[in-house]
Structure formats: structure tokens, C-alpha cells
Amino acid sequence: QWENTVQDLFGFSAPTGLSENFREDPKVAGFIFDNDATALEVDSALWTGYRIAAGEVAVLVTEDADVLAGLTPPDGGSEDERIDSFVRDFAERAYRRPPSEDEVADLVGLFNAAPSLYPEVEDPFTAGIRHVVEAVLQSPHFLYRVEHSELVVDGVIPLDDYELASRLSYFLWNS
């Protein structure tokens, strides 16, 4: 699912193959995957795999002019407006829901810190995209289908529209 999601998120023509470096989910009670949250954990091996893959995807994205153009907001407006537009659009697609204002502020902060972190990237806007892509691909909101609904109706918590769409999408297309 990680491969399919990354391919769809950036419009890559093929899977990256980077998930081959992720350690496999542990077998619990004889099954490869268990939905018991206490049985699943992100250990250092899996985290390292996610971190490395996120960095490599961020490089692929910023070195491919067509993919980068698909992420970059059109010229017009102030630099701050373009940054905000990129962050909101990308985070909404990656998180499969609109980002909160706090998430937007955090990602804008990462965007603005990027030029000093990536001196090899000449364009500060491209460096910002690279840093935000790398961070978002390591976020639990990208890696997992987080369900935030809290409203109880007749003893159950119904999924909101974004959560339902995400579940259906992964059920039907594995992405």
C-alpha cells in the first residue's frame, strides 16, 4: 500500500521499489498482519526504512521537473501564499483529509527552514518542497489511516467522509 500510495500521490509511472527495505510486519497468531494495535509497533528497523524511503522519494520528486511542476503552485501572489497553498494541498492529499491549522503552521515552518538544510538545492522553494515531502512521508497521518471521529451515535462512532473515503480507497485500489 505504501508503494501504491506514493505512486499515486506523486504521479510516478511505476512504484519506487523503496518499500523492499521495510522490515515485514511480525506474524501474530499465525497471520502476517494483525490489526491488534498492541501487536504492531514501529521499531527502529521499520522507522529507519520509512525515514530512508521518505528522503529518497523527496529527492526523486525534486529532481524530476514534471513531478515538481505538479506540486508547485503557479506563480502569482506572494511567496507566503504560494508556500501556504503548496502545504495545504500536499498535506490534504497525503493525509487523506484537510490538515489542521497547527499542522499547516508546522509544515510551513519546516518549509522555511529547508534552504539551510539542503544547500545543494539551489532554489529555496524546491528545498522547501523537498523538506515538507520528506517530513510528511514519515508522518503517522500518511503512514496510517488515522480515524479522528469522536461523535458517538447509538453507541458507535461513525466514520467521517474522509475516513470512509480512505477506507474504501484502500479496500478497492490498495491506495
Side-chain angles (χ1 to χ4, degrees):
Q1 290 180 337
W2 186 93
E3 287 287 353
N4 293 340
T5 302
V6 167
Q7 183 178 356
D8 290 345
L9 184 60
F10 298 107
F12 292 148
S13 60
T16 64
L18 295 170
S19 67
E20 292 175 6
N21 298 320
F22 299 167
R23 71 130 174 89
E24 292 186 22
D25 286 329
K27 291 186 180 185
V28 178
F31 298 100
I32 293 176
F33 180 78
D34 187 18
N35 65 0
D36 178 3
T38 62
L40 298 174
E41 67 179 6
V42 178
D43 60 14
S44 62
L46 184 56
W47 178 250
T48 299
Y50 286 147
R51 185 179 49 77
I52 291 169
E56 290 184 21
V57 168
V59 170
L60 289 173
V61 165
T62 55
E63 289 182 351
D64 183 317
D66 292 333
V67 175
L68 185 60
L71 290 175
T72 306
D75 287 334
S78 72
E79 185 81 359
D80 288 341
E81 290 171 335
R82 291 184 71 225
I83 292 168
D84 186 76
S85 175
F86 160 71
V87 164
R88 287 180 189 278
D89 179 60
F90 180 67
E92 182 170 357
R93 291 184 304 113
Y95 294 166
R96 298 168 294 275
R97 60 165 174 78
S100 70
E101 291 304 313
D102 287 342
E103 289 169 329
V104 170
D106 290 344
L107 292 172
V108 167
L110 290 174
F111 190 102
N112 290 325
S116 64
L117 299 173
Y118 302 101
E120 71 278 9
V121 179
E122 293 181 22
D123 176 37
F125 203 90
T126 301
I129 288 175
R130 180 173 171 182
H131 197 41
V132 169
V133 166
E134 191 169 345
V136 166
L137 294 185
Q138 295 177 68
S139 169
H141 300 287
F142 170 75
L143 294 171
Y144 304 102
R145 291 186 302 272
V146 179
E147 296 173 353
H148 293 280
S149 297
E150 296 178 1
L151 177 67
V152 178
V153 177
D154 296 327
V156 297
I157 301 174
L159 300 175
D160 70 19
D161 292 344
Y162 291 99
E163 294 162 347
L164 184 59
S166 184
R167 274 197 177 187
L168 284 170
S169 177
Y170 279 95
F171 174 72
L172 295 171
W173 298 291
N174 222 16
S175 173

